[in-house]
């Protein structure tokens, strides 16, 4: 999994009305949890994508499609955040997650998650982010699938590379009270060359000592930033109380998908 994090140019809409309206969201988040013994080993690096190299013909077809077809959905993903997720049933498996997000409404955001910020990055998952109001209205059976963003935003683990600190802090203030539901579809941390198996429910850290400090330091160095400095800049953001039902993993048990066979209906 790539840990490089080159600073992108400021999204054009960040300069417009959304900033003026408080940047109330469009991003997502990694969260954070209880002390846990950090991993000593770095995650496995996935091999190059299998198959023959892309041909000139394929590149030409893609270029023509880009000119002739609408790219509205991916073009809307104009907010970039970098943070960490871990597998809901394994606090020791942290994954650096590069989020590209957009608003669907002021209380609902959707994000595509990649293993890096470059053109060849692998699409490894998705995250949906909702306001606390929407989270509290969810069915009780649904809430354990969601995690809070209270720690990642105030701790400096979640960052927006390339964005002025004042803007970043404003965004983190808005995200601090939100909740995310995250599924990873490609386990790049174990070196999978392809997206094998079923989607995995992911969570966010909720406290100090859960994420290996070496992983955080490596991310900071690659991105040219300081998590500690971010934390100081966000020190006046109130840390919200977590709504009941979120961060189910903290109880010692958590949901996770399992594969099962079913009869096909209608045939």
């Amino acid at each position: 999994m790539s840990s490089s994090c080159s600073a992108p140019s400021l999204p054009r809409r960040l300069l417009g009305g959304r900033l003026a309206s408080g940047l109330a969201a469009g991003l997502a988040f990694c969260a954070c949890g209880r002390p846990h013994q950090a991993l000593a080993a770095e995650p496995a690096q996935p091999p190059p994508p299998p198959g023959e190299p892309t041909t000139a013909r394929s590149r030409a077809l893609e270029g023509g499609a880009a000119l002739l077809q609408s790219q509205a959905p991916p073009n809307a993903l104009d907010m970039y955040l970098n943070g960490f997720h871990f597998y809901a049933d394994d606090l020791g498996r942290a994954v650096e997650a590069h989020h590209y997000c957009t608003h669907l409404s002021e209380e609902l955001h959707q994000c595509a998650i990649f293993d890096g910020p470059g053109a060849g990055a692998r699409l490894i998952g998705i995250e949906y982010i909702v306001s606390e109001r929407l989270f509290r209205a969810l069915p009780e059976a649904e809430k354990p699938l969601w995690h809070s963003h209270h720690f990642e935003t105030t701790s400096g683990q979640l960052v927006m590379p390339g964005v002025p600190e004042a803007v970043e802090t404003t965004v983190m203030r808005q995200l601090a009270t939100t909740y995310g539901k995250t599924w990873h579809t490609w386990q790049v941390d174990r070196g999978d060359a392809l997206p094998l198996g079923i989607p995995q429910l992911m969570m966010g850290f909720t406290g100090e000592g859960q994420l290996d400090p070496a992983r955080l330091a490596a991310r900071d160095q690659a991105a040219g930033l300081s998590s500690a400095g971010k934390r100081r800049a966000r020190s006046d953001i109130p840390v919200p109380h977590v709504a009941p039902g979120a961060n189910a993993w903290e109880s010692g048990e958590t949901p996770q998908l399992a594969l099962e066979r079913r009869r096909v209906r209608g045939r």
Side-chain angles (χ1 to χ4, degrees):
M1 172 182 58
S2 169
S3 61
S4 63
C5 208
S6 57
S9 59
L10 214 57
R12 62 182 181 278
R13 277 189 287 177
L14 191 59
L15 301 175
R18 289 188 178 178
L19 175 57
S21 66
L23 289 172
L27 0 177
F29 42 48
C30 320
C32 321
R34 267 174 325 202
H36 180 85
Q37 185 175 359
L39 286 178
E42 285 295 309
Q45 298 298 315
E52 296 297 320
T54 306
T55 64
R57 179 174 180 273
S58 293
R59 292 193 295 272
L61 290 172
E62 290 174 352
L67 290 173
L68 298 173
Q69 294 181 305
S70 170
Q71 307 295 317
N75 286 344
L77 301 175
D78 59 1
M79 188 74 79
Y80 168 45
L81 296 96
N82 176 285
F84 296 88
H85 296 149
F86 66 88
Y87 292 81
D89 56 349
D90 191 344
L91 185 57
R93 290 182 65 189
V95 177
E96 185 176 349
H98 300 258
H99 305 72
Y100 293 84
C101 310
T102 189
H103 297 69
L104 290 180
S105 74
E106 284 300 309
E107 295 186 82
L108 173 61
H109 325 295
Q110 62 183 8
C111 307
I113 302 171
F114 294 83
D115 69 341
R122 296 163 173 83
L123 175 64
I124 62 172
I126 58 172
E127 180 164 1
Y128 301 102
I129 302 173
V130 298
S131 66
E132 181 175 336
R133 184 183 74 85
L134 292 182
F135 174 79
R136 287 182 178 275
L138 293 173
E140 291 303 313
E142 169 72 16
K143 291 179 179 178
L145 301 176
W146 297 73
H147 61 268
S148 70
H149 295 140
H150 73 287
F151 178 78
E152 65 168 343
T153 51
T154 57
S155 69
Q157 284 188 5
L158 185 64
V159 297
M160 299 176 66
V163 172
E165 188 171 276
V167 174
E168 181 184 57
T169 301
T170 298
V171 172
M172 295 302 155
R173 187 182 303 276
Q174 299 294 333
L175 287 177
T177 58
T178 63
Y179 294 79
K181 180 178 178 180
T182 305
W183 299 98
H184 279 201
T185 55
W186 195 331
Q187 298 188 52
V188 291
D189 64 304
R190 66 182 186 185
D192 288 2
L194 292 170
L196 306 177
I198 59 178
Q200 298 291 298
L201 181 66
M202 309 297 286
M203 290 286 163
F205 296 108
T206 56
E208 296 292 345
Q210 295 172 355
L211 175 63
D212 183 351
R215 293 291 305 281
L216 186 61
R219 190 283 303 272
D220 286 3
Q221 182 176 16
L225 54 82
S226 166
S227 296
K230 301 290 186 185
R231 182 170 192 159
R232 289 191 294 271
R234 304 171 191 177
S235 60
D236 66 337
I237 298 178
V239 180
H241 294 291
V242 177
N247 305 326
W249 65 272
E250 291 186 319
S251 69
E253 292 186 352
T254 187
Q256 191 56 278
L257 294 185
L259 200 62
E260 65 177 28
R261 298 183 66 85
R262 293 186 178 183
R263 291 189 177 277
V264 179
R265 299 177 183 176
R267 66 180 300 270

